[in-house]
Amino acid sequence: MNSDTKPTHEELTQGKVPGAKTGIEVRKTICSICNPHSHCGIDAYVKEGVIVKVEGTKENPHSEGTLCSKGNATRQYVYHKDRIRTPLIRKGERGSGQFIPISWKEALDLIASRLLKVREESGPESIVFYVGFPKWMRPFVKRLAHNFGSPNFCTESSVCQKARYLANGLTYGPLGAPDIERSKCLLAWSGNPFYSNTAIVREILDARERGLKIIDVGPLITPLTAHADVHLRIRPGTSGALALSMANVIIEEGLYDRDFVENYTLGFEEYRAYVRQFPPKLAEDITGIAADKIVEAARLFATTKPACMLNSPNATTHHTNGLQNHRAIIALIGLTGNYDVEGGNPLVKPGYLNVANGLVTRDSEFEQSRGWDAMPPRVGQDLYPAWCKIVAEGQSVHIPHQINSGKPYPIRAMLAFGLNHRMWPGQDFMAASLQKLDFLVDVDIFMTDTARLADLVLPACTSVERSELKFYAEQYVIWTQPAIRPQWESRPDTDIIFDLAKRMVPEDSLMQKGYEACIDWMLEPTKLTVEQLKKYPAGYAVPGVKMPPFRKYEKNGFGTPSKKMEFTSTILAEVGQDALPVYTEPGLSPRSTPEAAKKFPLILTTGARLPMFVHSRTFRLGWTRSLRPDPMADMNPRDARDRCIAQEDWVSLSTPRGSLRVRANLTEMVSPGVVNMYHDDPEASVNLLIEPDYLDPISGYPGFKSLLCEVKRIDGAPP
Ligand SMILES: Nc1nc2c(c(=O)[nH]1)N[C@H]1C(S)=C(S)[C@@H](COP(=O)(O)OP(=O)(O)OC[C@H]3O[C@@H](n4cnc5c(=O)[nH]c(N)nc54)[C@H](O)[C@@H]3O)O[C@H]1N2
Ligand SMILES: Nc1nc2c(c(=O)[nH]1)N[C@H]1C(S)=C(S)[C@@H](COP(=O)(O)OP(=O)(O)OC[C@H]3O[C@@H](n4cnc5c(=O)[nH]c(N)nc54)[C@H](O)[C@@H]3O)O[C@H]1N2
Ligand code: SF4
Ligand SMILES: [Mo]
């Protein structure tokens, strides 16, 4: 705009042009409505302290100026009427949702005094420090918990990517992400980045144009399937059988990497003998995939070098047999010699908040400031010992069970950041368990159904109202700066945590120095500082980052007890589980429970991502909810026809645990015999239909993605 003249007609009608005349300033920030893989750059157009429009930041190399439907609804998120405005203390009965405002000082003093009292009476372990899907405040909460003496830092990752991490850890030590850019073949085993991880879609499509072969394994047809050479449309929960059968083909046909197997692995002969039990014909019966397709995929993956594997954080582990399934899947990487090689799955040590971009930080040292041996056992440690050997957190799924049993010790209080009880299988059981605590604090942006169960509720602000350190895989780093001031009396979570640290861990001298000092401490090996990063509000492209070499195992071995890649897991054997990646049927399936399948003949898979929703977060936004206004279950038209169900009919979706009223969405995207339902819909939350103890025995993971159900038309239901 020309600042000497009046705004032009075009400028006035657009109305959102930055400059002196309009009073609009563009401030750089990030969106954190969805997962930390993304966090797209936002240009916030701010007028008089109010965001009037958002656009994607073009210079952000990760998001390249794009925002999805959720990010575009940022104004609806930030200015939503459900935002918590002040600290609130419960006035009425537990769970009545009646609160009165109190001051920040009163609230923080009360938390500290109540938690110190519980610690004195029942020990620090009786207090759980919990963080839900938000990740950015985790290092500080974990350090606060441990220095307070509690081993119970627990997170949403107990149902997200930690079982995959556990399977990787048991088999390889760590396993790296796929190097799609330099690969010739991508085995995308579960996962649909077009909806769930948009930032890697460009990488996949660019590589595809260069000739990348794609094998897509999953029960649904997704946008990724359209780009695949082979689609293995698998029955949910049977990935282990498919992987073992592919290994059978690869070994029988001599397509495996002999040098790698002979020199760097443990238990190959036992594994070879075991996979002989899974010829493609048998795997066809189990998985529903034609035997010749299994052979085709196995040959393609084993003979196209280098090949890499992409896995969903959890679609293979959200099954009662998930941990071993996932071990069987990832064994294919080592078997074919694609571990830690260019174009395969190279290993890069993760830096800040687990972003593996070659920049090494000190966050594990920061957060794990006390050894496990110096603390009592964690939640779930007796039941999930393998978990506790690999994963540096408690197993959150076990929290409600331990609240009820009081064994091996009582859990009495919880300090939670972003707690959503609908995340748990049998969410009503979790809600009822929370009501048994002596003291529950929930810090959230919105007054959620879970916050209503708390004794004290604190208002957190959103990413556009705070500062945080953001690492991107592209060696791009941002110290974000607030685009607007925190709304109402909300505050950044870190302000709350550091104020509590003053009251609860005064002896922790580093935390007493505050948030920025702690970030500087973690960043120290990178030579970056917060002060320096403040000069680059849109982000800083760190020059000269050296990536580690390939095949580090040749020198260092693997991070397993035997220092080898373990086809037979030493740790699993030690804890009394099968050392081999054995295949068992899902707990509820047409094969394992044929009696139950008579009444519930369809397979239910839940939580496949939709582009407009992120868990519980965006149902309340008008724009995103309008894209799917009612709760819907996806089913194949053939199954619908058999049940006289038409598109958008109201139906009951039932499992042995209960029923929900939802609308039917008829689509060929799901196979006949399968029903798919998104989770967390406040009007029909599918986790009400899943038993709280429907769990994988090794990881404690819920069987979210394979159980049994039936769908029936609700006669006389309103249209
Ligand atoms: N059936 C079924 N259930 C599932 C899944 C499935 O596939 N199927 N998926 C599972 C997976 S992978 C995950 S990750 C979990 C989801 O994990 P949840 O923790 O349930 O995820 P959200 O609902 O996104 O976030 C929890 C809360 O955090 C709040 N929040 C957001 N940002 C902030 C912030 O900066 N500070 C604070 N204090 N609070 C904030 C949100 O408002 C919300 O209330 O669900 C799991 N549940
Ligand atoms: N828009 C949006 N994006 C998100 C989220 C969100 O809620 N919304 N959540 C974020 C979080 S917390 C997570 S954990 C990730 C999840 O990321 P992804 O897991 O990549 O997400 P999905 O799109 O659910 O892809 C999972 C796919 O696995 C398939 N699948 C299910 N069961 C099986 C099985 O037994 N075997 C095989 N081979 N495949 C199976 C499903 O049908 C689905 O197509 O997404 C993140 N991104
Ligand atoms: S919600 Fe959308 S815009 Fe926001 S970070 Fe995720 S992908 Fe990007
Ligand atoms: Mo997740």
Side-chain angles (χ1 to χ4, degrees):
M1 191 177 84
N2 178 350
S3 59
D4 294 325
T5 55
K6 283 184 165 179
T8 62
H9 176 70
E10 195 188 11
E11 284 164 352
L12 279 172
T13 47
Q14 283 179 347
K16 289 171 183 172
V17 179
K21 285 253 160 51
T22 54
I24 294 174
E25 194 188 326
V26 176
R27 302 214 179 123
K28 304 286 177 183
T29 177
I30 58 171
C31 172
S32 69
I33 295 178
C34 86
N35 58 326
H37 295 302
S38 300
H39 287 185
C40 304
I42 286 189
D43 283 359
Y45 287 57
V46 179
K47 182 173 169 134
E48 290 162 11
V50 176
I51 299 178
V52 293
K53 156 175 142 170
V54 292
E55 273 185 356
T57 303
K58 294 212 171 51
E59 61 271 37
N60 184 310
H62 192 71
S63 51
E64 297 176 339
T66 57
L67 291 178
C68 76
S69 54
K70 306 173 291 291
N72 272 303
T74 289
R75 292 178 63 241
Q76 296 188 345
Y77 190 77
V78 173
Y79 298 116
H80 201 278
K81 67 169 177 40
D82 289 353
R83 279 201 57 177
I84 307 165
R85 299 183 176 204
T86 65
L88 295 167
I89 188 161
R90 179 166 62 81
K91 190 175 137 226
E93 286 283 295
R94 262 270 165 83
S96 65
Q98 290 176 324
F99 296 93
I100 49 170
I102 54 168
S103 73
W104 272 107
K105 183 171 180 314
E106 282 172 302
L108 296 168
D109 286 348
L110 181 70
I111 296 171
S113 68
R114 290 293 298 267
L115 297 185
L116 284 160
K117 186 157 174 279
V118 174
R119 180 171 75 173
E120 207 176 287
E121 290 167 358
S122 309
E125 66 276 22
S126 61
I127 301 157
V128 171
F129 293 71
Y130 177 83
V131 186
F133 186 48
K135 310 276 189 294
W136 75 286
M137 75 293 262
R138 287 191 183 181
F140 316 104
V141 179
K142 186 168 179 187
R143 187 174 169 105
L144 178 69
H146 285 195
N147 281 344
F148 193 67
S150 175
N152 287 323
F153 171 72
C154 296
T155 72
E156 138 282 351
S157 298
S158 289
V159 298
C160 186
Q161 44 78 28
K162 287 294 183 196
R164 181 181 70 171
Y165 180 83
L166 172 58
N168 294 345
L170 293 169
T171 313
Y172 293 98
L175 174 65
D179 179 9
I180 298 169
E181 207 182 324
R182 290 178 286 186
S183 191
K184 296 225 169 70
C185 178
L186 170 67
L187 176 51
W189 199 302
S190 73
N192 168 24
F194 284 78
Y195 291 174
S196 60
N197 190 2
T198 43
I200 68 162
V201 167
R202 281 182 291 273
E203 196 182 338
I204 294 176
L205 295 182
D206 287 350
R208 180 78 181 147
E209 285 198 355
R210 285 193 303 272
L212 178 81
K213 299 278 182 209
I214 300 181
I215 305 164
D216 176 28
V217 187
L220 306 183
I221 294 175
T222 73
L224 181 68
T225 316
H227 300 277
D229 298 278
V230 185
H231 178 214
L232 304 181
R233 197 172 201 187
I234 193 168
R235 169 162 71 91
T238 63
S239 283
L242 174 62
L244 294 165
S245 188
M246 285 173 68
N248 170 308
V249 174
I250 292 168
I251 296 172
E252 294 302 311
E253 298 191 3
L255 304 177
Y256 64 99
D257 186 323
R258 274 171 211 276
D259 174 62
F260 182 86
V261 164
E262 275 164 25
N263 294 303
Y264 302 107
T265 67
L266 178 76
F268 179 68
E269 287 309 321
E270 282 166 74
Y271 171 73
R272 178 209 286 264
Y274 184 62
V275 304
R276 280 208 185 105
Q277 298 175 29
F278 292 87
K281 246 325 198 198
L282 175 73
E284 174 176 323
D285 289 345
I286 301 175
T287 63
I289 303 164
D292 55 348
K293 277 209 148 183
I294 298 176
V295 175
E296 182 192 351
R299 287 182 185 153
L300 184 62
F301 181 65
T303 58
T304 318
K305 294 279 169 70
C308 63
M309 187 187 285
L310 173 73
N311 298 120
S312 146
N314 47 44
T316 50
T317 54
H318 278 169
H319 305 272
T320 55
N321 57 359
L323 194 278
Q324 291 287 33
N325 277 354
H326 198 77
R327 284 211 336 113
I329 297 164
I330 56 174
L332 297 174
I333 300 174
L335 186 67
T336 53
N338 285 302
Y339 180 80
D340 203 13
V341 299
E342 183 171 7
N345 287 66
L347 190 60
V348 183
K349 197 169 182 262
Y352 192 65
L353 291 182
N354 279 320
V355 176
N357 61 6
L359 289 160
V360 178
T361 54
R362 287 204 281 178
D363 27 338
S364 343
E365 207 183 318
F366 175 84
E367 35 175 74
Q368 188 83 43
S369 53
R370 202 182 260 233
W372 292 117
D373 293 346
M375 291 184 284
R378 282 168 266 170
V379 169
Q381 187 149 345
D382 46 349
L383 278 170
Y384 310 112
W387 170 281
C388 287
K389 281 182 193 276
I390 306 271
V391 180
E393 302 181 3
Q395 182 21 311
S396 303
V397 175
H398 194 60
I399 292 172
H401 301 278
Q402 189 165 335
I403 292 176
N404 282 285
S405 71
K407 300 266 164 46
Y409 54 80
I411 294 177
R412 291 186 50 203
M414 209 160 150
L415 171 61
F417 296 81
L419 173 65
N420 172 23
H421 72 279
R422 293 206 296 265
M423 181 188 97
W424 272 261
Q427 62 183 60
D428 47 329
F429 174 64
M430 177 59 176
S433 306
L434 289 173
Q435 299 298 273
K436 296 183 179 163
L437 292 171
D438 289 336
F439 189 53
L440 172 63
V441 182
D442 189 26
V443 186
D444 205 302
I445 298 171
F446 304 103
M447 182 48 92
T448 64
D449 295 343
T450 315
R452 283 194 188 90
L453 305 174
D455 298 294
L456 196 64
V457 179
L458 301 180
C461 64
T462 68
S463 59
V464 303
E465 300 156 77
R466 68 187 185 217
S467 284
E468 69 190 275
L469 181 65
K470 178 68 205 163
F471 265 39
Y472 290 98
E474 293 81 1
Q475 287 108 25
Y476 196 68
V477 179
I478 314 182
W479 173 260
T480 68
Q481 291 165 39
I484 51 170
R485 59 174 292 281
Q487 298 300 290
W488 301 285
E489 282 186 41
S490 69
R491 300 178 76 197
D493 295 274
T494 41
D495 282 14
I496 301 167
I497 296 159
F498 281 88
D499 275 358
L500 287 174
K502 284 186 198 141
R503 292 161 168 86
M504 289 163 57
V505 289
E507 66 291 349
D508 181 344
S509 56
L510 180 52
M511 278 196 97
Q512 300 313 314
K513 290 186 188 147
Y515 175 35
E516 293 188 15
C518 290
I519 295 278
D520 278 341
W521 191 91
M522 285 184 263
L523 280 179
E524 201 262 340
T526 66
K527 307 277 183 281
L528 297 166
T529 64
V530 172
E531 242 359 86
Q532 176 200 358
L533 292 172
K534 279 182 182 167
K535 293 185 206 129
Y536 305 92
Y540 177 64
V542 186
V545 179
K546 248 183 95 193
M547 296 307 272
F550 299 109
R551 297 183 199 276
K552 294 173 279 300
Y553 59 83
E554 288 177 354
K555 199 163 141 231
N556 311 331
F558 289 78
T560 57
S562 63
K563 298 266 180 236
K564 301 208 160 182
M565 176 210 157
E566 298 196 352
F567 286 113
T568 49
S569 163
T570 310
I571 291 177
L572 287 182
E574 264 169 35
V575 302
Q577 300 284 353
D578 285 302
L580 280 166
V582 295
Y583 177 71
T584 49
E585 271 290 304
L588 285 169
S589 88
R591 286 170 82 99
S592 63
T593 51
E595 269 311 303
K598 283 187 191 145
K599 201 162 164 221
F600 301 98
L602 300 167
I603 294 168
L604 177 62
T605 174
T606 71
R609 303 315 188 226
L610 287 170
M612 63 295 219
F613 297 135
V614 183
H615 311 303
S616 67
R617 295 184 188 192
T618 55
F619 287 103
R620 58 167 64 77
L621 312 184
W623 285 1
T624 44
R625 182 84 234 202
S626 72
L627 298 170
R628 191 173 253 212
D630 294 307
M632 278 194 146
D634 305 320
M635 66 190 300
N636 190 277
R638 205 191 302 170
D639 295 323
R641 218 172 21 246
D642 292 347
R643 291 163 176 77
C644 299
I645 293 169
Q647 174 65 15
E648 299 198 12
D649 272 356
W650 284 98
V651 294
S652 68
L653 170 66
S654 311
T655 68
R657 190 169 197 261
S659 298
L660 292 177
R661 190 173 167 276
V662 301
R663 293 189 107 140
N665 183 39
L666 276 43
T667 169
E668 290 293 345
M669 306 295 252
V670 297
S671 322
V674 175
V675 173
N676 174 51
M677 169 87 194
Y678 193 73
H679 61 297
D680 241 327
D681 193 312
E683 288 167 34
S685 179
V686 79
N687 283 348
L688 283 165
L689 302 187
I690 305 177
E691 291 290 351
D693 57 1
Y694 189 58
L695 306 173
D696 177 292
I698 304 173
S699 66
Y701 262 47
F704 285 143
K705 288 186 168 57
S706 48
L707 62 154
L708 293 175
C709 73
E710 176 58 303
V711 180
K712 287 200 174 127
R713 199 171 168 277
I714 302 176
D715 286 322

